[in-house]
Amino acid sequence: MNAREKYGIPKDAVITIAGTVGVGKSTMTRTLAEHLQFRTSFEKVEANPYLDKFYKDFEKWSFHLQVYFLAERFKEQKRMFEYGGGFIQDRSIYEDTGIFAKMHYEKGTMSPVDYETYTSLFEAMVMTPYFPHPNLLIYLEGSLDSILDRIQKRGRPMEQETPLAYWEEMHQRYENWINSFNACPVLRLDINDYDLVQDPSSIDPILEKVGSFIQQTALLKK
Ligand SMILES: Nc1ncnc2c1ncn2[C@@H]1O[C@H](COP(=O)(O)OP(=O)(O)O)[C@@H](O)[C@H]1O
Ligand SMILES: Nc1ncnc2c1ncn2[C@H]1C[C@H](O)[C@@H](COP(=O)(O)O)O1
């Protein structure tokens, strides 16, 4: 029996991993997919033609970057649907609007007219009855210090050179955002409670939680 069967996770499930930059989403995505024999949907950071430019000049590139991310995530959404699920997704589409676009607009690095255009595009694409929501959103949370440490260790220069205030603001916004998020069921995991790098077996209790959580929320829907 494989882990997916053992923990009663449906083979068409879509699980999305959310959380601030550097918290460990990609690592969790890879590990869960490996254990559940699911496909992955990653953000392609290296191939992103705007990301580097964006970190150098938020005002100039915010809108371009948001439209690019929206298009990429929408294509991924379509791919997951066409395969009939069975995916772990690195970051949700909800974070693009609920965290990033909103933050840049409110901090003045995205103009009101650009934000309005982006929001109406997002709503037309995503806020429709035809848009499939994930079965589960796993939210990874941790202290700002441990996350900053991970950003530094991972070593993407564009992130290392970004002022601390940006990461502080994002960390705070994530906390507020998740407390009112209700588009799909949420399982919160504290990054201090597992270590996929040093202790690969720490995924086992997480798989068990994911299984029982999905089963409980399926029962509630009935
Ligand atoms: N559970 C973990 N324990 C220790 N280090 C981790 C863990 N998960 C991720 N890391 C490290 O933290 C850094 C950021 O992780 P990553 O998965 O790329 O984050 P994200 O996708 O959220 O930006 C990487 O250097 C990674 O090796
Ligand atoms: N929607 C977004 N707007 C701005 N920046 C974004 C968005 N989505 C992702 N990013 C950035 C943040 C990181 O520098 C990279 C990859 O994110 P990660 O959390 O490391 O997977 O893209």
Side-chain angles (χ1 to χ4, degrees):
M1 194 192 283
N2 63 33
R4 187 187 62 70
E5 289 163 343
K6 179 174 170 193
Y7 296 110
I9 298 170
K11 65 172 186 297
D12 61 354
V14 172
I15 300 172
T16 189
I17 315 296
T20 194
V21 176
V23 72
K25 297 179 297 300
S26 307
T27 310
M28 179 62 80
T29 299
R30 263 191 300 276
T31 312
L32 280 179
E34 204 176 288
H35 283 79
L36 298 176
Q37 292 166 359
F38 272 15
R39 292 189 167 84
T40 51
S41 169
F42 280 109
E43 288 181 312
K44 299 175 198 93
V45 173
E46 282 76 28
N48 187 316
Y50 296 110
L51 201 55
D52 230 357
K53 292 181 181 146
F54 161 80
Y55 275 105
K56 290 198 176 92
D57 187 343
F58 287 151
E59 264 176 287
K60 187 165 176 192
W61 296 105
S62 272
F63 181 68
H64 304 71
L65 181 69
Q66 291 312 323
V67 171
Y68 179 85
F69 268 120
L70 186 55
E72 287 301 300
R73 290 206 219 280
F74 205 78
K75 282 190 270 179
E76 282 299 286
Q77 207 72 34
K78 187 163 159 275
R79 185 168 76 93
M80 291 191 287
F81 179 75
E82 284 167 356
Y83 270 113
F87 269 86
I88 310 291
Q89 181 184 31
D90 180 0
R91 179 161 279 129
S92 67
I93 199 160
Y94 314 111
E95 291 156 83
D96 293 321
T97 175
I99 301 286
F100 292 95
K102 194 161 184 256
M103 167 166 142
H104 283 278
Y105 163 61
E106 288 177 0
K107 301 301 276 181
T109 46
M110 187 190 277
S111 75
V113 66
D114 283 352
Y115 184 63
E116 174 61 35
T117 306
Y118 170 79
T119 307
S120 77
L121 184 59
F122 181 89
E123 282 171 5
M125 287 167 89
V126 178
M127 299 302 172
T128 75
Y130 316 106
F131 184 84
H133 295 286
N135 299 79
L136 178 66
L137 180 143
I138 300 181
Y139 179 69
L140 305 183
E141 58 195 335
S143 70
L144 178 64
D145 282 349
S146 50
I147 291 162
L148 291 174
D149 201 43
R150 287 185 182 189
I151 291 176
Q152 286 309 321
K153 283 199 186 117
R154 177 170 58 191
R156 289 180 189 148
M158 59 189 170
E159 294 171 354
Q160 290 173 318
E161 288 156 17
T162 294
L164 181 67
Y166 186 77
W167 307 120
E168 272 170 351
E169 173 81 28
M170 191 177 292
H171 191 257
Q172 187 56 52
R173 279 175 182 263
Y174 258 103
E175 227 167 279
N176 300 339
W177 170 79
I178 197 63
N179 286 334
S180 56
F181 178 83
N182 60 8
C184 71
V186 176
L187 171 63
R188 295 170 80 131
L189 296 179
D190 187 321
I191 61 171
N192 285 319
D193 294 343
Y194 65 90
D195 184 340
L196 304 178
V197 176
Q198 300 293 329
D199 174 18
S201 72
S202 64
I203 195 66
D204 295 337
I206 295 176
L207 287 165
E208 197 175 341
K209 271 191 197 161
V210 170
S212 60
F213 205 86
I214 290 187
Q215 284 159 34
Q216 267 175 32
T217 51
L219 278 178
L220 287 175
K221 270 194 197 159
K222 282 189 181 160

